[in-house]
Amino acid sequence: MTSHLTQQDWQARAGGLKLSTQAIIDGQAHAGRASPLDAINPATGRRLAQVASCNEHDVDEAVRAARRTFESGYWSGMPRAERKKRLLKLSELIMLHAEELALIETLDMGKPISDTLWYDIPEAARTYAWYAETIDKQYDEIAPTDAQALATITREPLGVVAAVVPWNYPLLMASWKVAPALAMGNSVILKPAEQSCLSAIRLGELALEAGIPPGVLNVVPGTGPVAGQALGMHPDVDCLAFTGSTATGKRFMQYSGQSNLKQIWLECGGKSPHIIFDDCPDLDRAALAAAIGIFNNQGEVCIAGSRLYVQSGVYDEFMQRMEAHAAAMQPGDPLDPGSKMGAIVDERQLARVLQYVDSGKQEGATLRVGGSRVRAETGGFYVEPTIFECGSQSLTIVREEIFGPVLAASRFDTEDEALAQANASIYGLGSGLWTADLSRAHRVSRKLRAGLVWVNCYFDGDVTVPFGGVKQSGFGRDKSLHALDKYSSLKTTWISLA
Ligand code: NAD
């Protein structure tokens, strides 16, 4: 794919963009019975569209449609080669519509167009293609029993899978769940976050165009407490895969316990430590990675390296580099291909980020750079890259997930001290360390309580590796073959040969 579109080209396209705003239930556009949601462009604060909002009756309709299509066997029992073909087609269609989808995502969520065009959309397309390719390569098992029996272990789809996702990578987070769930033969109900419904609706349309039968992928925009809760409490949803905050993740555990004990898989919040040892092999590269690690996507990243720990010997030098990167990453118009940071998703999140900045100042952290709302004249919700130096690990900005471009930096002296500080969190999602010492790299990686560890890099990865956390960052893994376990169950069939 190539794109030479300028800011003006994207603005012109935005003016002519036709947005789909209805829910998709059983293959049909559906108005939703709750009051419509406003899709707000975070770059301007202006309304882009009104989007259908589903209530519990709409959700029930979607679950019934999903159950019906699942039981019909049309998708779940479709020859694997055919199911694969249709998911590959969906991947192709996503790439065919990459510019349109990138624009939708940028307008709806505020992230830079270069990120949506070159990362979010191609990665989403790749996710469908990758799981499509797994479908006809899965074998079942025969257990090593004694000769009087034949015991088969077969993998079966679960039935109706609900996916409830956040707004920070709307299409990609959805795809990490929808692609493996569909590949396994389930029927799916996708509930996007209320701030970012538009790409999910377009995905539902493209899935129909790709030949995924009506009712197999339903999209129910709606609020968390109404549509999200209705899915969590529904007695006929078999599995609910969630990405979002830890607080909401805990609610889903409760919904499950109060309803049908549906399987719950949680990808929740993070407060990831990024450790720079004195023997860091390349301070320039590490500082760039640390800056991208916290400021990319406006800091609205679950694996953001939001706690930086720098060893005393390189602390001053490293922090100077961090300041320079912060200055160079000022937010700009998300439709400008040169912008490295865009707008915060909405006014509420903007207020939340600024409150954390205030708490940092009040609790005695030293503000080194940033800390303010910028570009307010645009009507948009922009915050400049912000770096605090923290003398204590008990500060609110060190402990809590901010989900904005705010870095809490601390100094340490010994490896043990760095590890103790890194692990002193309720979260355990991402983590990073920079060292030239191979033994230390292995030793520290093993001791970090996190689902992901990056050594001499940060954020790297692809669909082939599992993604998820420990502690209150959740459990279960998105991506890789392991994600298929979440959307299938094992059946043992014991056949007597006596
Ligand atoms: P959120 O928990 O507020 O919302 C996530 C989803 O849950 C949305 O679809 C929302 O409508 C729904 N929801 C909200 N309240 C609900 C309720 N009471 N009942 C049922 N559903 C409800 O999170 P957010 O603000 O959209 O996203 C930010 C959070 O997501 C951060 O904590 C971030 O770390 C996390 N996140 C985690 C990962 C990961 O892979 N671990 C990835 C991205 C984001």
Side-chain angles (χ1 to χ4, degrees):
M1 188 179 61
T2 55
S3 176
H4 306 291
L5 297 177
T6 64
Q7 183 178 7
Q8 289 71 31
D9 295 333
W10 285 112
Q11 282 164 345
R13 286 185 178 212
L17 188 65
K18 284 213 164 38
L19 296 168
S20 301
T21 57
Q22 306 274 284
I24 299 177
I25 299 177
D26 208 7
Q28 302 293 320
H30 193 294
R33 294 175 178 87
S35 315
L37 299 165
D38 282 333
I40 303 288
N41 180 352
T44 61
R46 286 199 288 275
R47 192 167 78 186
L48 286 167
Q50 283 203 309
V51 178
S53 184
C54 293
N55 70 7
E56 60 278 18
H57 302 295
D58 305 318
V59 165
D60 186 54
E61 262 184 60
V63 175
R64 283 169 196 272
R67 175 60 63 195
R68 217 171 28 246
T69 54
F70 180 74
E71 298 300 340
S72 76
Y74 187 43
W75 179 252
S76 52
M78 184 179 276
R80 283 168 179 251
E82 184 59 31
R83 211 157 73 209
K84 164 178 163 174
K85 205 162 100 189
R86 296 185 193 200
L87 282 174
L88 285 175
K89 180 75 188 165
L90 175 56
S91 172
E92 259 175 55
L93 285 174
I94 291 172
M95 285 314 288
L96 212 62
H97 292 270
E99 289 182 352
E100 176 201 346
L101 286 164
L103 186 56
I104 290 175
E105 208 78 313
T106 287
L107 291 174
D108 205 12
M109 189 272 163
K111 67 168 75 184
I113 192 74
S114 42
D115 288 359
T116 51
L117 186 64
W118 300 112
Y119 178 70
D120 295 46
I121 307 305
E123 278 300 305
R126 182 157 185 244
T127 303
Y128 291 96
W130 197 82
Y131 282 107
E133 289 293 352
T134 68
I135 294 177
D136 57 0
K137 296 168 192 72
Q138 296 164 16
Y139 292 75
D140 290 322
E141 298 168 30
I142 295 177
T145 60
D146 65 33
Q148 273 75 47
L150 173 71
T152 61
I153 304 167
T154 49
R155 190 174 280 279
E156 299 186 334
L158 289 171
V160 176
V161 171
V164 177
V165 296
W167 43 260
N168 61 337
Y169 291 85
L171 188 67
L172 189 55
M173 292 298 106
S175 301
W176 283 3
K177 301 189 189 310
V178 171
L182 288 180
M184 286 312 302
N186 298 283
S187 291
V188 176
I189 299 143
L190 168 63
K191 195 206 87 62
E194 36 280 67
Q195 296 91 335
S196 59
C197 302
L198 297 171
S199 59
I201 295 172
R202 196 69 186 103
L203 175 72
E205 292 176 339
L206 293 177
L208 288 166
E209 199 179 324
I212 294 171
V216 170
L217 176 59
N218 305 277
V219 183
V220 292
T223 67
V226 176
Q229 177 164 348
L231 283 167
M233 293 291 288
H234 202 287
D236 206 26
V237 170
D238 298 296
C239 164
L240 191 143
F242 169 76
T243 297
S245 63
T246 295
T248 308
K250 288 181 181 180
R251 285 181 198 269
F252 276 107
M253 301 288 283
Q254 290 172 344
Y255 299 152
S256 171
Q258 288 162 14
S259 57
N260 62 338
L261 217 60
K262 57 181 66 63
Q263 292 185 32
I264 299 286
W265 299 106
L266 302 178
E267 299 285 348
C268 296
K271 190 77 186 176
S272 302
H274 198 165
I275 306 170
I276 317 296
F277 286 102
D278 280 347
D279 66 349
C280 168
D282 185 338
L283 280 187
D284 286 333
R285 214 154 58 82
L288 181 62
I292 291 173
I294 179 62
F295 302 134
N296 181 57
N297 212 45
Q298 305 71 245
E300 299 160 324
V301 184
C302 55
I303 49 174
S306 50
R307 291 184 293 146
L308 178 68
Y309 295 102
V310 187
Q311 201 161 11
S312 297
V314 292
Y315 185 86
D316 293 331
E317 227 184 311
F318 196 80
M319 291 308 287
Q320 276 165 18
R321 286 171 165 83
M322 290 299 292
E323 278 183 15
H325 285 305
M329 287 183 78
Q330 292 301 312
D333 177 1
L335 290 180
D336 178 350
S339 292
K340 295 195 169 63
M341 257 175 77
I344 299 288
V345 72
D346 63 12
E347 209 160 3
R348 204 168 122 234
Q349 185 65 12
L350 171 75
R352 191 180 137 89
V353 172
L354 294 176
Q355 257 169 27
Y356 275 112
V357 170
D358 281 347
S359 96
K361 290 179 190 163
Q362 278 163 22
E363 292 178 16
T366 306
L367 181 63
R368 271 191 79 143
V369 287
S372 299
R373 179 180 184 179
V374 289
R375 295 172 58 83
E377 71 287 355
T378 61
F381 317 125
Y382 299 87
V383 176
E384 57 186 339
T386 299
I387 301 178
F388 277 106
E389 282 180 312
C390 302
S392 155
Q393 295 299 296
S394 59
L395 301 181
T396 308
I397 56 166
V398 178
R399 287 182 296 107
E400 296 186 9
E401 182 181 42
I402 298 173
F403 227 55
V406 181
L407 179 68
S410 309
R411 184 194 292 264
F412 70 91
D413 289 314
T414 65
E415 186 178 304
D416 283 348
E417 193 189 346
L419 265 168
Q421 292 180 345
N423 285 335
S425 172
I426 62 164
Y427 298 112
L429 191 53
S431 60
L433 66 114
W434 292 73
T435 179
D437 178 341
L438 188 62
S439 304
R440 169 184 275 162
H442 283 288
R443 196 167 56 233
V444 175
S445 299
R446 283 185 185 176
K447 289 183 183 164
L448 281 167
R449 293 204 59 208
L452 299 143
V453 182
W454 286 282
V455 179
N456 296 339
C457 60
Y458 201 82
F459 273 167
D460 300 32
D462 65 21
V463 67
T464 62
V465 292
F467 185 101
V470 296
K471 299 197 273 183
Q472 293 190 40
S473 291
F475 46 83
R477 294 292 181 267
D478 279 331
K479 309 200 310 184
S480 83
L481 292 178
H482 294 283
L484 296 172
D485 295 343
K486 299 196 295 190
Y487 306 114
S488 57
S489 67
L490 295 178
K491 177 179 278 177
T492 297
T493 307
W494 187 281
I495 303 168
S496 167
L497 302 182

